[in-house]
């Protein structure tokens, strides 16, 4: 039964564990590599991303509660597109962090693990 349900909706079964594991790996990486570059580079974009996600979700909830019917293009194309687009600044900041900030970051009291 579980395998059959997983085959019916693979994204619904794969995404939650993938998201949970990747969030925990990110926490370990940030705490291992240093928090300062993350807070200077990525955190502002992450906070903006969370705020924009909240605004978009609140707008959709408010419109649905008031019974406002939007064109199908807005609901099917524009809202999902906006939901993905506001994450791009975070992705670019993560790439900057991984390629430019962390390789040159020398943490105080840093010790080599091996």
């Amino acid at each position: 039964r579980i395998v059959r349900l997983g085959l019916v909706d693979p994204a619904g079964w794969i995404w939650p564990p993938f998201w949970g594991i990747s969030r925990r790996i990110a926490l370990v990486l940030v705490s291992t590599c240093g928090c300062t570059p993350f807070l200077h580079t990525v955190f502002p974009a992450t906070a903006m991303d969370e705020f924009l996600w909240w605004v978009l979700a609140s707008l959709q909830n408010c419109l649905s509660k008031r019974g406002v019917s939007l064109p199908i293009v807005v609901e099917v194309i524009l809202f999902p597109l906006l939901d993905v687009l506001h994450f791009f600044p975070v992705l670019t900041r993560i790439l900057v962090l991984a390629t430019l900030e962390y390789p040159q970051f020398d943490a105080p009291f840093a010790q080599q693990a091996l």
Side-chain angles (χ1 to χ4, degrees):
R1 176 172 153 77
I2 292 174
V3 173
R4 184 172 42 113
L5 290 174
L7 292 174
V8 171
D9 185 20
W13 281 75
I14 293 172
W15 181 251
F18 169 76
W19 184 247
I21 291 169
S22 64
R23 288 178 65 192
R24 280 146 185 92
I25 289 172
L27 180 63
V28 169
L29 284 174
V30 166
S31 62
T32 302
C33 296
C35 293
T36 304
F38 173 80
L39 290 174
H40 284 283
T41 306
V42 179
F43 188 72
T46 306
M48 182 191 72
D49 172 62
E50 290 295 322
F51 173 73
L52 290 175
W53 175 83
W54 175 79
V55 167
L56 186 61
S58 297
L59 177 67
Q60 288 174 326
N61 287 338
C62 180
L63 292 174
S64 67
K65 284 181 182 178
R66 293 180 186 243
V68 176
S69 178
L70 294 173
I72 194 75
V73 173
V74 173
E75 291 183 4
V76 174
I77 296 174
L78 186 62
F79 280 158
L81 184 64
L82 289 174
D83 196 32
V84 171
L85 283 179
H86 66 77
F87 191 64
F88 279 120
V90 176
L91 289 178
T92 57
R93 294 290 182 118
I94 289 171
L95 288 174
V96 167
L97 180 72
T99 58
L100 301 176
E101 297 287 331
Y102 274 150
Q104 298 172 354
F105 180 66
D106 187 26
F109 309 109
Q111 295 178 356
Q112 193 170 10
L114 297 176

